[in-house]
Amino acid sequence: MINLIRLAAPLDVGGVRIRNRVFLAPMSGITDEAFRQRAHAHGAGLVVSEMVASGELAKGRAGCDLRIRHSGLPVHMVQLAGREAMHMAEGARIAAGEGADIIDINMGCPAKKVTGGYAGSALMLDLHHALSLIEAVVAAVKVPVTVKMRLGWDDAALNAPVLARRAEQAGVRMVTVHGRTRCQFYQGKADWRAIARVKEAVSIPVVANGDVCSQAEASVILEQSGADAVMVGRAHYGAPWVAGSIAAAAGGTFSSGIPETPQGLADYVVAHYEDMLALYGIESGLRQARKHLGWYLDRHAGGVAGESRKAIMTALEPARVITLLRDVFSRDPQTLNLRSAA
């Protein structure tokens, strides 16, 4: 309980006040503006943009503007990825110019399309190069810079403590550590105790990440890692309220806005769908929303007939999708998994 109470306390990150210590992880293709606004409304302490490729941002590629634009939330945090110091610095300047309060550097993404370009967690193979990127970003902006990393590339190179210590010396104001190596991807169980070695190596805040889905797990990861905050990622699939629920429980309250009735769940899912259509436009929005609709179905209506699911996932007319969604999510409460949250 002591650990949970700690999660409700504010956290200072380079002079930026974060309202509590339960964060929404940056997830590519997921934590867009519509999703972040929901997570924040439910009480997440900090929400982070999708990863933005610094090279594409610096070159003005289409779509990057949606990822970095300010959504009106109290703290706007943008995550950048890349391997070129010039592009990382320019991307940071652009993001700061769009109102970013914090710039996060991605040194943890395990995806082959990212590491194949020597970005993400591949940077942990060359700490000298990784530090050159950190130094370039810190020098380019006045806002706090943070880094998200893994334990290392593989079990033979668990160098997160070294990277974190050198990052702090370069001016980084917070580090987040996912308790797996890159070669583990998301297999096995995250090693929360290993994060403690990073906490021991630095004096800046450390955020523990990996396999946190509930209040109980948040308490244990804090105990085992000694971290200052927790970051929750995949547990949000079909439930944007999970981080907020954990934070609310830590403060002895309940997260607001979680649907508790079939009608409320239907309204919630439809509203999220409509917000994504407004964000991306009809054609792109239809495609972007499907993964979220699939997660809502999996989490809250797992017994839905295959024909109904297929119709929702393939319909090309928004009005038809909404009608189908309302039919599925407005059924008898006994057929739905309501309030599926931490």
Side-chain angles (χ1 to χ4, degrees):
M1 181 59 68
I2 293 175
N3 282 334
L4 281 177
I5 292 172
R6 226 171 93 207
L7 289 176
L11 180 67
D12 181 273
V13 179
V16 177
R17 185 181 186 275
I18 311 302
R19 63 180 177 176
N20 66 58
R21 301 178 183 220
V22 188
F23 304 161
L24 169 68
M27 293 180 282
S28 186
I30 300 169
T31 56
D32 57 21
E33 183 177 313
F35 199 95
R36 296 196 307 274
Q37 288 181 330
R38 276 168 174 70
H40 179 268
H42 292 304
L46 183 65
V47 298
V48 191
S49 78
E50 303 172 76
M51 178 180 66
V52 183
S54 60
E56 294 185 3
L57 178 59
K59 295 173 183 177
R61 295 284 173 81
C64 290
D65 56 332
L66 283 182
R67 294 193 172 201
I68 68 166
R69 79 176 186 182
H70 203 297
S71 57
L73 300 180
V75 178
H76 182 41
M77 185 170 180
V78 173
Q79 187 186 72
L80 297 178
R83 68 175 186 269
E84 302 291 341
M86 177 180 67
H87 288 157
M88 289 292 287
E90 180 60 18
R93 282 190 287 266
I94 294 171
E98 291 294 322
D101 300 292
I102 303 173
I103 303 292
D104 186 59
I105 301 175
N106 185 312
M107 294 190 176
C109 180
K112 291 182 179 179
K113 66 179 181 180
V114 176
T115 60
Y118 303 103
S121 56
L123 292 168
M124 300 192 75
L125 290 168
D126 185 348
L127 296 193
H128 178 72
H129 183 59
L131 264 292
S132 73
L133 303 185
I134 291 171
E135 290 166 351
V137 173
V138 170
V141 295
K142 296 181 179 180
V143 301
V145 176
T146 65
V147 175
K148 190 173 189 292
M149 64 184 72
R150 288 200 163 212
L151 296 177
W153 179 260
D154 57 26
D155 288 338
L158 301 176
N159 56 1
V162 178
L163 175 56
R165 183 170 59 250
R166 294 182 65 182
E168 179 181 19
Q169 293 169 350
V172 162
R173 310 305 292 270
M174 181 176 75
V175 295
T176 299
V177 186
H178 183 112
R180 289 183 175 88
T181 65
R182 183 272 175 183
C183 289
Q184 285 181 275
F185 286 86
Y186 294 99
Q187 300 300 312
K189 183 75 173 66
D191 187 349
W192 296 341
R193 295 187 186 280
I195 300 172
R197 292 193 286 274
V198 177
K199 177 61 181 172
E200 293 166 358
V202 299
S203 60
I204 55 177
V206 172
V207 184
N209 176 225
D211 294 344
V212 177
C213 301
S214 68
Q215 300 156 19
E217 288 163 335
S219 180
V220 175
I221 197 174
L222 283 182
E223 179 182 354
Q224 293 186 358
S225 68
D228 303 279
V230 300
M231 181 172 277
V232 185
R234 292 170 293 158
H236 286 96
Y237 290 1
W241 50 79
V242 170
S245 295
I246 295 172
T253 62
F254 294 99
S255 180
S256 63
I258 300 176
E260 298 181 339
T261 66
Q263 184 61 52
L265 183 57
D267 290 343
Y268 188 98
V269 176
V270 168
H272 190 177
Y273 179 66
E274 292 177 331
D275 284 350
M276 292 194 71
L277 297 181
L279 179 65
Y280 295 107
I282 300 298
E283 183 178 352
S284 178
L286 281 168
R287 296 193 304 271
Q288 299 278 357
R290 282 173 183 151
K291 55 181 170 288
H292 292 281
L293 298 183
W295 290 326
Y296 281 124
L297 290 169
D298 291 342
R299 190 160 192 150
H300 308 288
V304 66
E307 295 80 7
S308 295
R309 182 188 179 94
K310 182 179 179 180
I312 289 171
M313 302 300 282
T314 59
L316 299 178
E317 301 80 22
R320 174 62 175 159
V321 174
I322 290 171
T323 297
L324 292 168
L325 287 172
R326 289 199 177 280
D327 176 61
V328 166
F329 289 111
S330 296
R331 294 177 181 175
D332 185 89
Q334 294 182 353
T335 68
L336 297 176
N337 182 16
L338 291 171
R339 202 174 175 87
S340 176

